[in-house]
Amino acid sequence: MTDIADVPATDPIAISAPRKPSLLRLIREDVACVRLRDPAARSELETLLTYPGIHALIWHRLAHRLWEADWRFPARLLSWFGRFVSNVDIHPAARIGRRFFIDHGACVVIGETAEIGNDVTLYHGVTLGGTSWSPGKRHPTLADRVVVGAGAKILGPITIGPGTRVGANSVVIESTPPEVTVVGIPARVVRPELSHRRVVGRIDLDHHLMPDPVGEAISILLDRVEFLEARLAHVQKRLREGSSPAPDNKDASLLHGHVIDRN
């Protein structure tokens, strides 16, 4: 990579290009962001020494630098060691942005062509997997501020929009718009952007507040039943007051709550 200091002054495009952050700075940001997203983290030293998600990410950042330098076998070997000590499998070619956090750090799998933006959070059991044997882009892309719940599977070369939340154990096989919640198998959008959602440190911590589509449908049905009961009570009142033509005996009996046996 060409250093900015080595770029000729006659190349304004190259001069304006941002410098790639150092490996040490990336790791410091990874460790520091944990306290914003996990109340159990008491200090950066404790996080660095005891969080397997951080360990896996450190080994990946080292392996990724080797991979970019075309040291493929050492990169794969270092990646294997990171998996051995952390139980997190990240391919060294996977591209991961800044302030990435794997909470609990168990059984997470990130494939070779996966791309992850900044401020992304994954919980245990998440898979960013492929769906094709063909070379090229096979794994998903996660934009900035995505939160993926425990056990979720995101499969194929799809894009998860910025700020999207993926519910636990969901299986996502299609790209999503930004700022939505997706749940289910296959995952479907169940909640659009909400202005009142609580955001701390640019990360939506309310990942447990997943919508319940079945409960919402039942709530709508209950509202409808309540409306029909109120309307029926109004009709019964009008019949008792004689302000409307009386229906036949059977309908009148049903409205008053009595059934007449015509047999």
Side-chain angles (χ1 to χ4, degrees):
M1 179 178 177
T2 304
D3 190 84
I4 292 179
D6 299 329
V7 178
T10 56
D11 191 351
I13 296 178
I15 291 176
S16 62
R19 177 178 294 180
K20 188 173 183 179
S22 67
L23 184 62
L24 182 59
R25 180 175 180 180
L26 288 175
I27 294 174
R28 283 178 174 174
E29 290 181 349
D30 295 331
V31 174
C33 77
V34 174
R35 297 190 68 184
L36 295 175
R37 308 181 210 175
D38 184 5
R42 295 174 176 82
S43 69
E44 292 187 0
L45 179 61
E46 177 185 289
T47 299
L48 181 63
L49 295 178
T50 64
Y51 274 62
I54 291 296
H55 301 160
L57 189 54
I58 291 173
W59 292 117
H60 168 73
R61 298 232 187 255
L62 294 170
H64 184 68
R65 292 296 173 96
L66 291 176
W67 186 273
E68 287 185 324
D70 208 28
W71 291 63
R72 300 298 171 85
F73 177 73
R76 290 303 301 266
L77 190 62
L78 196 59
S79 176
W80 167 84
F81 180 76
R83 177 184 179 183
F84 179 76
V85 299
S86 67
N87 197 27
V88 175
D89 187 0
I90 309 177
H91 194 282
R95 300 176 62 183
I96 297 179
R98 304 168 77 164
R99 298 174 297 275
F100 179 58
F101 178 40
I102 304 176
D103 199 1
H104 297 289
C107 302
V108 170
V109 177
I110 301 176
E112 177 183 8
T113 61
E115 298 177 64
I116 299 175
N118 300 325
D119 302 300
V120 172
T121 303
L122 306 185
Y123 287 82
H124 54 281
V126 170
T127 298
L128 307 183
T131 57
S132 172
W133 294 103
S134 303
K137 180 67 172 173
R138 308 185 307 279
H139 300 88
T141 296
L142 275 58
D144 297 345
R145 298 176 288 103
V146 169
V147 178
V148 184
K153 315 300 176 188
I154 305 177
L155 307 176
I158 61 177
T159 299
I160 307 302
T164 291
R165 299 191 303 166
V166 179
N169 294 316
S170 298
V171 178
V172 187
I173 56 177
E174 295 180 352
S175 297
T176 73
E179 304 293 344
V180 297
T181 298
V182 295
V183 299
I185 304 175
R188 293 288 184 267
V189 176
V190 292
R191 179 173 293 178
E193 180 180 5
L194 297 177
S195 59
H196 64 270
R197 273 162 52 178
R198 175 170 57 90
V199 177
V200 177
R202 295 179 295 173
I203 299 297
D204 186 353
L205 296 180
D206 291 331
H207 59 274
H208 62 291
L209 299 179
M210 292 293 114
D212 182 3
V214 176
E216 291 176 0
I218 293 175
S219 178
I220 293 172
L221 289 176
L222 292 175
D223 289 342
R224 183 63 178 173
V225 169
E226 184 178 357
F227 169 76
L228 292 175
E229 288 178 343
R231 191 168 184 179
L232 178 60
H234 177 69
V235 172
Q236 289 175 333
K237 181 179 179 181
R238 293 186 62 186
L239 286 175
R240 286 193 298 267
E241 294 174 352
S243 59
S244 63
D248 58 40
N249 292 337
K250 182 177 180 180
D251 292 338
S253 300
L254 289 174
L255 289 174
H256 285 284
H258 303 287
V259 178
I260 297 177
D261 188 356
R262 296 175 184 251
N263 295 329

